[in-house]
Amino acid sequence: MANIQMVDLNGQYEKIRTEVDQAITNVVRSSAFINGPEVKDFQKELEDYLGVKHVIPCANGTDALQIAMMALDLKEGDEIITTNFTFIATVEVIALLKLKPILVDVEEDTYNIDPQKIREAITPKTKAIVPVHLFGQCANMNEILSIAEEHNLYVLEDTAQAISAKYTLADGSIKTAGTMGHFGCTSFFPSKNLGCYGDGGALYTNDDALADKARQICNHGMKVRYYHELIGVNSRLDSIQAAILRIKLRSLDDYCDARRSAADFYDAAFADVSEIQTPARFADSTHTFHQYTMRVPAEDRNHLQKHLMDQGIPAMIYYPVPLHEQEAFDHLKTGNVDYPVTVQLSKEVLSLPMHTELSKEQLKTITQEVLNYFKNK
Ligand SMILES: *Cc1c(COP(=O)(O)O)cnc(C)c1O
């Protein structure tokens, strides 16, 4: 049996190797490294796949968030409500733009931002909500969109972990993650569900004016070369990465199916273990299982992780430290009382290997070792 990895990028590459190698060679031979035809083609193909009017490729997911926020009419001190249980990028860009991150707690079962906590955090200075579709499943967008409409707020979806998740809106229509708010922001970091072989990212929007502005910001604030109307940044998706993404996009649905069947295997194996809380599947959203993150009692979590590591099975903690406890965000410290769920999750979550290449044999080994831990403890 092959070594068990948290993410097996090489195994996935082996299956598309001929196409990928050829695509990279073609870009190199064409010398169209920056904004070449591959980038335009990928953009169109992703727009079709997502069912969104505009995809704006950029350099990485963090930039996508930053550019989206720069494209909105926000000013210093405006408050942006987001989740305390996410990767730092979401909050970092808010602070970098001198906006004020307002962190709120999450739901016990989905680990996603709690709409009730959003309501409680709204002030006259609130300008936007940034839900993060954590671990591959959409936050409660029906609630979030209605709160935003009620209070006239922007919604910016961080969909770095949930590309291709499908969400059923209150009117019955089905939307893809990232296409429901004013902007969706995603990442093509290698280990993401649609990952390239380096850095990459994109914004999506259905709003023509916002799309124009975001495109302009990506490109040094210019529409006409050397005429800069806005202060922008340099954020582009490489042609080589776009060429790779075009190939992988064709398999994205299969990749998601592979992840979901690994998750089903885990769920079934752990169904009768009272100590394990398997990840909840929310009725309104499909789960694309960027991570398979379960909860176990706090006193077991680190021991279970060590037991698995000792057997050659990687298991990771996403995320061990809530954002309000991070040194960089000292000024946001408001005490643990405000974040009971996030604080508890940071002590109880454990993510098992999750990727597109997990074999039945590997899944059996992983689940058996988890069961052994609880049997022998
Ligand atoms: C990965 C990730 C990002 C950042 O993406 P990069 O491409 O690494 O900049 C932002 N938000 C979340 C939730 C992520 O998981």
Side-chain angles (χ1 to χ4, degrees):
M1 185 178 73
N3 273 351
I4 297 174
Q5 300 175 63
M6 205 60 201
V7 179
D8 180 6
L9 293 177
N10 198 259
Q12 193 188 56
Y13 164 66
E14 286 301 332
K15 295 180 178 163
I16 47 173
R17 179 187 196 142
T18 318
E19 285 169 278
V20 168
D21 290 1
Q22 188 59 53
I24 293 172
T25 306
N26 290 347
V27 174
V28 175
R29 289 205 176 129
S30 76
S31 299
F33 297 112
I34 304 292
N35 289 334
E38 295 284 354
V39 180
K40 268 268 165 308
D41 289 344
F42 171 63
Q43 176 195 318
K44 289 203 195 83
E45 287 160 10
L46 189 60
E47 284 165 355
D48 286 346
Y49 178 87
L50 296 168
V52 73
K53 210 161 163 194
H54 305 281
V55 163
I56 301 127
C58 66
N60 57 66
T62 310
D63 272 10
L65 287 161
Q66 178 178 331
I67 292 157
M69 276 177 219
M70 288 171 75
L72 304 177
D73 281 319
L74 302 174
K75 53 181 191 315
E76 194 168 330
D78 281 348
E79 294 179 357
I80 314 294
I81 298 175
T82 191
T83 161
N84 193 356
F85 194 58
T86 178
F87 179 58
I88 193 84
T90 324
V91 179
E92 204 169 45
V93 299
I94 299 173
L96 267 177
L97 296 174
K98 299 206 170 359
L99 305 166
K100 191 171 176 204
I102 305 293
L103 303 176
V104 304
D105 211 356
V106 295
E107 299 173 332
E108 295 261 3
D109 50 357
T110 65
Y111 320 143
N112 272 322
I113 192 165
D114 183 338
Q116 186 49 39
K117 301 288 174 191
I118 297 176
R119 283 187 192 281
E120 290 164 13
I122 289 174
T123 75
K125 284 183 150 179
T126 308
K127 289 288 148 55
I129 307 170
V130 184
V132 178
H133 304 318
L134 200 71
F135 302 147
Q137 180 168 237
C138 292
N140 187 340
M141 290 303 290
N142 280 320
E143 279 290 316
I144 292 167
L145 292 170
S146 84
I147 296 169
E149 198 175 303
E150 218 173 289
H151 296 270
N152 198 22
L153 306 173
Y154 290 114
V155 175
L156 229 148
E157 298 170 67
D158 180 341
T159 186
Q161 300 188 3
I163 195 164
S164 89
K166 295 278 187 295
Y167 190 86
T168 309
L169 287 174
D171 66 5
S173 63
I174 294 177
K175 301 275 183 196
T176 316
T179 68
M180 295 171 272
H182 295 84
F183 275 115
C185 301
T186 203
S187 163
F188 306 122
F189 186 81
S191 63
K192 298 281 155 89
N193 287 24
L194 178 62
C196 57
Y197 295 164
D199 274 309
L203 302 86
Y204 339 134
T205 184
N206 282 308
D207 183 309
D208 297 341
L210 288 179
D212 259 6
K213 198 158 172 201
R215 263 191 212 106
Q216 196 176 351
I217 292 168
C218 284
N219 190 26
H220 299 291
M222 63 186 175
K223 278 185 190 154
V224 179
R225 202 173 235 191
Y226 306 126
Y227 290 81
H228 307 272
E229 298 161 22
L230 303 168
I231 294 182
V233 295
N234 172 19
S235 190
R236 297 187 279 243
L237 180 68
D238 270 21
S239 298
I240 289 180
Q241 300 305 341
I244 294 163
L245 287 165
R246 289 186 67 202
I247 295 163
K248 291 184 70 174
L249 180 60
R250 291 177 215 139
S251 297
L252 182 55
D253 287 338
D254 292 338
Y255 291 159
C256 286
D257 288 344
R259 287 172 179 273
R260 247 188 305 268
S261 53
D264 290 344
F265 191 100
Y266 286 139
D267 278 359
F270 304 146
D272 298 326
V273 184
S274 61
E275 290 97 334
I276 299 177
Q277 189 179 321
T278 57
R281 304 197 194 188
F282 178 43
D284 293 346
S285 175
T286 61
H287 201 319
T288 58
F289 287 100
H290 175 59
Q291 299 296 345
Y292 184 90
T293 304
M294 56 187 195
R295 289 178 75 167
V296 295
E299 66 269 22
D300 288 314
R301 199 266 308 269
N302 292 356
H303 295 299
L304 171 59
Q305 184 187 29
K306 183 171 183 306
H307 170 78
L308 293 173
M309 296 283 200
D310 289 346
Q311 308 302 314
I313 300 167
M316 303 286 282
I317 297 163
Y318 305 118
Y319 296 94
V321 184
L323 299 178
H324 75 281
E325 289 177 15
Q326 299 285 355
E327 208 175 318
F329 290 101
D330 253 359
H331 58 289
L332 296 181
K333 276 210 166 93
T334 52
N336 288 351
V337 288
D338 291 333
Y339 308 107
V341 182
T342 303
V343 170
Q344 200 57 31
L345 286 175
S346 69
K347 296 175 187 158
E348 295 183 356
V349 287
L350 191 65
S351 300
L352 296 180
M354 177 49 78
H355 54 80
T356 58
E357 310 303 313
L358 281 163
S359 68
K360 280 270 148 20
E361 198 186 359
Q362 290 178 320
L363 288 166
K364 270 186 202 146
T365 305
I366 298 163
T367 50
Q368 197 51 55
E369 285 306 334
V370 172
L371 299 176
N372 283 349
Y373 170 84
F374 286 107
K375 218 180 293 159
N376 301 330
K377 115 179 140 92

